[in-house]
Amino acid sequence: MKRNNNLPLTETVFYILLSLLEPAHGYLILQKIELLSNGDVKMAAGTLYGALENLVKLKFIESVKSNDPRRKVYVITDYGKDILRLELERISHLKMITEESIKGGLV
Amino acid sequence: MIIKKKRRFLDFDLDKEEAWLNELSFQGLDLLHVGFRYHFKESDSKEVSQIKIDYQIFNNKEDFLNYETLFSDSGWSLISGGHHGGRQYFKRIDENAGTEIFSDTSSKALRLKRLSDSLLSFAMMYLPIAVTLSMTTD
């Protein structure tokens, strides 16, 4: 099976998609990512802005109606969810084969 | 008192420009506005401001507003720039905010790409005029 050519995702993209399973505006996304990563990933505003623009272009996310004219609200698309699932499969496979090697005493 | 300094439009090194502005802030000159020249205010405050520059082009005012709000929510206040696009000058206003506006090298590299792309399209826009001028002078 040919792999989707958007894979693998960067950690930044993975966290953004995960944060957008529910609608959120930019700063809320940054806070969610910090929380989800146990404080390991502190994304800066310029990095997030560029990533959001790119993910909208790729149709992984879309902007939805916002009550606040100063803050766009984004949410993951169905295609974005498919990508997230494919990426999870890829990571799960890596996890599985690595654990087998550990059990076999190779690592 | 307002102090004005000449702007070198052909300087594309944004890191160098940031370092220069931060050095001036250390000397007591706080950046107020960037137009055809830099405008500074003389300040006695010992506080040194941290300036960062982004380069962005916006599709509309709404996109710009969303951009500016994301930065101000994150502790970076826009000093100079706007929805017409180009260099956006930010000053850190929250001590708890990080010291960078890009948290990885690839997104920072894209800043340079946006800058060089728009300089290139700017040059292409003026190319026909330059060609016409060179032909009419013959």
Side-chain angles (χ1 to χ4, degrees), chain A:
Chain A
M1 193 184 79
K2 194 177 171 293
R3 184 199 274 190
N4 183 305
N5 59 12
N6 289 303
L7 297 184
L9 302 179
T10 62
E11 192 181 29
T12 303
V13 168
F14 197 97
Y15 271 122
I16 294 173
L17 292 182
L18 214 49
S19 317
L20 288 177
L21 291 174
E22 284 169 10
H25 61 70
Y27 187 59
L28 188 57
I29 298 173
L30 293 178
Q31 289 176 315
K32 279 186 169 189
I33 291 174
E34 191 168 344
L35 208 66
L36 285 170
S37 67
N38 296 325
D40 275 354
V41 180
K42 291 192 173 85
M43 209 179 291
T47 298
L48 178 71
Y49 184 80
L52 289 174
E53 292 260 285
N54 186 41
L55 291 176
V56 169
K57 244 179 243 167
L58 287 169
K59 297 191 167 28
F60 288 8
I61 64 170
E62 61 190 358
S63 71
V64 290
K65 203 179 171 317
S66 166
N67 295 321
D68 180 350
R70 300 185 61 89
R71 292 176 182 85
K72 278 195 193 183
V73 173
Y74 303 89
V75 73
I76 193 167
T77 60
D78 287 341
Y79 178 52
K81 284 181 189 171
D82 289 344
I83 293 286
L84 205 53
R85 263 185 228 108
L86 287 173
E87 180 66 346
L88 178 64
E89 279 170 27
R90 190 188 66 84
I91 295 172
S92 303
H93 178 71
L94 283 177
K95 182 172 182 283
M96 186 192 76
I97 57 173
T98 309
E99 278 171 354
E100 274 172 13
S101 297
I102 289 174
K103 268 185 220 148
L106 292 170
V107 178

